[in-house]
Amino acid sequence: MALAGRCARRLRPLLHSVLAGAARPPQQVPAGCSAPLLSASRQRGVRPTVPTRPLVTKKGKAKGKGQSQARVTVDAASVEGVINLEEVNAEMLSVMEALKDDFSKNLSIRTSAGALDHIIVTTKDGKFPLNQLGQISQKSPQRIIVNMSSFPESTAAAIKAIKESRMNLNPEVDGIIIQVPVPKVTREHRESLVKLAKQYTNKAKDSLRWVRSNAMSCVKKAKSTVSEDTIWQLEKQIQQMTDDTVAEMDKLLAAKTKELLV
């Protein structure tokens, strides 16, 4: 009897613990997390992590959008009644060629006799290239001669044009003979030519915008005669042509800048 009493006293705390555990509410297990993992994390005092979705930034969206855009190609013959795409392309190429011409004529580090040929001289009879008014020759690597004997009355105008040519030239006159000392190539002169190259490029881009604007106006005028999809494709085609030409201008400017500063 005494032995039974001692066993009952030992079992009482264990029975109390079991009953208390049965009275607790069941643990809530988050979706995606197993009960053993949750139990173990609570025992270690660590809160279970919830997987999150990566944040998509505006920049990332813009990049993705740009990558998904495809180029369009419009058949020029199918839209002849709306706009002549070949003429638009020719006008853009003409602007590009004019920029190349400006670079070759006016942005040479070493001044030569040929560099003076296309300097425009304004006279009372109109505007003429210098080589049509005077005979240009190079006396030495350091000096260029312009003989104005054919049009002596235009000597003063020729001197003014040479000074204002942005080629860093300071002509000297001896009667009807203009002597042009070739300046030394300095860092300042190179940097001034780079600035001039940027000015030529910006001027060419303005001309290109004018061509683009005219083309877009022609397309918009045809909205009542062609489908909306055709209008969209034409506008995109013209913009692509503009962007391609601008990219070529930027490449040309970068190459000329590198050439001038080396």
Side-chain angles (χ1 to χ4, degrees):
M1 189 71 178
L3 178 60
R6 286 197 299 272
C7 287
R9 285 195 298 272
R10 291 179 180 178
L11 289 172
R12 191 177 294 114
L14 180 60
L15 181 60
H16 177 75
S17 176
V18 172
L19 292 173
R24 291 176 187 167
Q27 294 179 348
Q28 297 296 324
V29 182
C33 181
S34 64
L37 176 61
L38 179 64
S39 176
S41 65
R42 284 185 175 174
Q43 287 174 5
R44 292 193 299 269
V46 180
R47 295 180 63 184
T49 58
V50 179
T52 58
R53 184 173 62 183
L55 178 64
V56 180
T57 62
K58 290 183 178 180
K59 185 176 180 181
K61 288 181 179 179
K63 184 177 180 182
K65 184 178 179 181
Q67 290 176 345
S68 64
Q69 289 182 346
R71 293 175 65 88
V72 300
T73 303
V74 179
D75 181 17
S78 65
V79 293
E80 282 184 351
V82 179
I83 188 171
N84 191 325
L85 288 176
E86 292 181 356
E87 284 187 3
V88 175
N89 186 56
E91 289 179 8
M92 291 186 177
L93 288 177
S94 178
V95 173
M96 186 69 192
E97 289 303 315
L99 178 61
K100 291 179 180 179
D101 198 40
D102 283 335
F103 276 17
S104 63
K105 289 179 181 177
N106 305 316
L107 299 177
S108 175
I109 296 176
R110 299 290 178 183
T111 305
S112 62
L116 274 63
D117 286 350
H118 301 284
I119 291 178
I120 301 300
V121 181
T122 302
T123 70
K124 63 180 181 179
D125 297 319
K127 296 182 178 181
F128 305 92
L130 181 59
N131 62 352
Q132 290 186 12
L133 299 176
Q135 183 179 357
I136 305 173
S137 61
Q138 189 143 5
K139 186 176 181 180
S140 69
Q142 291 77 34
R143 191 169 293 272
I144 298 172
I145 302 298
V146 183
N147 188 332
M148 298 294 295
S149 57
S150 298
F151 297 91
E153 68 279 7
S154 300
T155 301
I159 293 172
K160 181 181 179 183
I162 294 170
K163 286 182 177 179
E164 296 176 352
S165 65
R166 296 185 178 182
M167 297 174 66
N168 195 30
L169 302 175
N170 293 299
E172 302 167 357
V173 63
D174 181 12
I176 57 173
I177 302 297
I178 301 173
Q179 299 190 38
V180 185
V182 177
K184 292 181 179 180
V185 180
T186 62
R187 182 70 182 181
E188 291 75 17
H189 180 51
R190 290 175 182 269
E191 290 175 352
S192 68
L193 289 178
V194 170
K195 290 180 180 178
L196 187 57
K198 291 179 180 178
Q199 291 176 12
Y200 283 136
T201 304
N202 289 335
K203 182 180 177 181
K205 287 181 179 180
D206 287 341
S207 298
L208 186 65
R209 291 188 193 101
W210 183 83
V211 174
R212 175 192 173 279
S213 178
N214 281 350
M216 289 294 193
S217 296
C218 288
V219 172
K220 288 177 181 178
K221 289 178 182 177
K223 281 188 175 181
S224 59
T225 59
V226 296
S227 68
E228 205 172 294
D229 185 59
T230 300
I231 295 294
W232 179 86
Q233 288 187 346
L234 281 171
E235 289 179 342
K236 188 169 179 62
Q237 177 78 40
I238 293 168
Q239 187 60 52
Q240 282 176 185
M241 293 162 63
T242 305
D243 292 342
D244 290 345
T245 308
V246 169
E248 287 298 316
M249 288 179 178
D250 289 339
K251 287 180 183 178
L252 186 66
L253 175 61
K256 177 57 70 172
T257 300
K258 184 178 180 180
E259 174 191 326
L260 292 172
L261 294 180
V262 169

